[in-house]
Amino acid sequence: MSQSAVSFQISPVSNAQDQMIQQKIDLKTKPLGALGLLESLALQIARVQGATLPQDTLKIVHPTLLVFAGDHGIAAQGVSIAPSEVTRQMVQNFAHGGAAINVFCRQVGFKLEVIDCGILTPVEDVEGIINQRLGAGTEAIHLAPAMALNTVDKGFAMARDLIERHHQAGCNLIAFGEMGIGNTSAAAAIMAAIMQLDVADCVGRGTGINAETLALKLSLIEQALQLHQHALTGPKAVLACLGGFEIVQMTGAILAAAERKMLVVIDGFIATAAALVAVKIAPNVRDYLIFAHQSDEQGHLRMLDFLQAKPLLSLGLRLGEGTGAALALPLIQAAVNFYNQMASFSDAGIEAVV
């Protein structure tokens, strides 16, 4: 398949067995709905995994978290508290096991992989970093398109191959995180373009910028949307004009994982921007997405509402890296375990309270 023809065939999940699944959940030894979001999560997982009989069990196999890293031309304008060099330094930190995402993945049982999608300077002679570079950082989006349209397809093709490797290894749940100084600017621009919102409703303080820097960030993103307004003809064009190399590959990975009927765990603001684009490309993707948390970034709740998503956690996180997605894994496993293992009223000889 040529890169210009990358497309994804994503089937909707079936809700034909919803009544059976819901009855199994309802007859557990608890009041109706007493496990809250874990119940709707168990229903979603059962749909994705094709449960057809009450005795069918759910499972999480080889859960894997991918961190996509890339640099952004707009960062040179000072829209973050940190310079672009920090992206590379953090990628090294991931490879050496010292970041928050490493700690959390070790704690909860996620396998972690780090993908260099296009940081300014590659990390040499360090094991554990996968090279899927699309360039040395994007163009500054307020001055030019972030990348060429065929670069988006190249990124999608790379992401599909990456997901296929994990699918072949038996992985059935994959989570996504990111690292890239300036990427909240790209995500906010994508959000404004996809959701047709004013930039002021989308732009937040990212890593903790002050009011002056926030005003600069807002102005540059408004310039970017004005510059590209006639080119934003579809979701791939939005990525090409406004995105980042890591956001492109994350979008492609979301599409590829849904194509393979894997559960897809979405982290925070930047990962949700990628999910916005993926759902715009293929609406059936939404069936496979689990939203880990509501981040502290200003526009994230609005994004989640747009996607009709109820996040599992709300911890005030704004770190990125996939940290919220990692912390959600025990809750996902809890939904699977109660569905598989919790006694029904008849099993336990208890009079039903439903």
Side-chain angles (χ1 to χ4, degrees):
M1 179 185 288
S2 69
Q3 287 165 2
S4 61
V6 174
S7 62
F8 299 88
Q9 305 301 317
I10 297 162
S11 304
V13 300
S14 172
N15 59 8
Q17 301 301 322
D18 278 10
Q19 185 175 354
M20 179 276 293
I21 296 165
Q22 191 63 54
Q23 184 177 42
K24 178 170 178 174
I25 292 169
D26 290 346
L27 291 178
K28 299 292 185 182
T29 47
K30 59 173 182 58
L32 275 177
L35 286 176
L37 284 179
L38 293 183
E39 297 194 15
S40 53
L41 179 57
L43 173 62
Q44 179 187 7
I45 295 170
R47 283 173 174 166
V48 170
Q49 297 192 351
T52 57
L53 298 169
Q55 61 266 35
D56 288 346
T57 56
L58 311 181
K59 57 186 177 180
I60 303 299
V61 183
H62 302 316
T64 301
L65 194 148
L66 306 179
V67 177
F68 296 96
D71 274 309
H72 295 256
I74 197 173
Q77 304 300 310
V79 295
S80 173
I81 62 169
S84 289
E85 289 75 15
V86 171
T87 305
R88 184 177 188 273
Q89 291 163 4
M90 283 303 300
V91 167
Q92 288 179 299
N93 194 20
F94 298 152
H96 292 135
I101 191 56
N102 301 98
V103 173
F104 295 160
C105 283
R106 286 194 294 266
Q107 175 182 323
V108 303
F110 258 128
K111 177 185 177 184
L112 176 66
E113 286 191 357
V114 182
I115 300 96
D116 176 2
C117 304
I119 63 178
L120 280 175
T121 307
V123 177
E124 305 287 355
D125 302 322
V126 175
E127 287 187 17
I129 300 170
I130 297 168
N131 180 356
Q132 296 195 170
R133 292 174 59 79
L134 296 170
T138 59
E139 298 296 321
I141 60 174
H142 66 296
L143 300 175
M147 68 195 80
L149 197 57
N150 65 0
T151 303
V152 175
D153 277 299
K154 182 178 180 183
F156 280 10
M158 286 178 165
R160 174 183 257 162
D161 289 345
L162 180 66
I163 294 300
E164 185 60 25
R165 174 166 61 82
H166 288 290
H167 174 71
Q168 291 296 331
C171 169
N172 73 348
L173 179 144
I174 200 138
F176 301 115
E178 42 58 44
M179 178 63 215
I181 298 301
N183 65 8
T184 61
S185 295
I190 289 167
M191 176 185 176
I194 295 284
M195 293 174 57
Q196 296 290 290
L197 292 173
D198 290 339
V199 170
D201 294 325
C202 306
V203 176
R205 292 184 180 268
T207 47
I209 56 177
N210 60 26
E212 182 182 357
T213 306
L214 180 63
L216 171 66
K217 182 177 178 180
L218 189 70
S219 173
L220 293 175
I221 296 171
E222 285 176 337
Q223 286 180 48
L225 288 162
Q226 183 70 25
L227 175 66
H228 302 300
Q229 60 180 324
H230 299 301
L232 301 176
T233 53
K236 284 187 181 181
V238 169
L239 286 175
C241 291
L242 304 172
F245 294 145
E246 82 281 36
I247 296 173
V248 164
Q249 293 200 36
M250 194 159 24
T251 303
I254 291 167
L255 289 159
E259 184 176 49
R260 285 303 195 180
K261 297 180 168 52
M262 300 163 79
L263 294 163
V264 179
V265 185
I266 302 297
D267 186 45
F269 184 64
I270 292 98
T272 307
L276 275 178
V277 181
V279 170
K280 197 75 172 175
I281 290 170
N284 290 337
V285 163
R286 179 64 188 83
D287 293 348
Y288 299 87
L289 305 183
I290 297 169
F291 291 85
H293 74 118
Q294 178 193 328
S295 86
D296 216 28
E297 183 67 9
Q298 190 226 172
H300 194 216
L301 177 58
R302 203 155 187 169
M303 274 185 184
L304 293 169
D305 287 344
F306 184 82
L307 289 165
Q308 298 181 295
K310 289 186 177 180
L312 296 176
L313 297 165
S314 181
L315 299 172
L317 303 178
R318 54 179 177 84
L319 178 57
E321 303 179 8
T323 45
L327 292 171
L329 182 60
L331 297 178
I332 297 167
Q333 193 66 61
V336 166
N337 289 347
F338 100 75
Y339 186 89
N340 291 344
Q341 301 171 22
M342 189 174 172
S344 69
F345 287 107
S346 62
D347 292 336
I350 297 171
E351 187 173 337
V353 294
V354 296

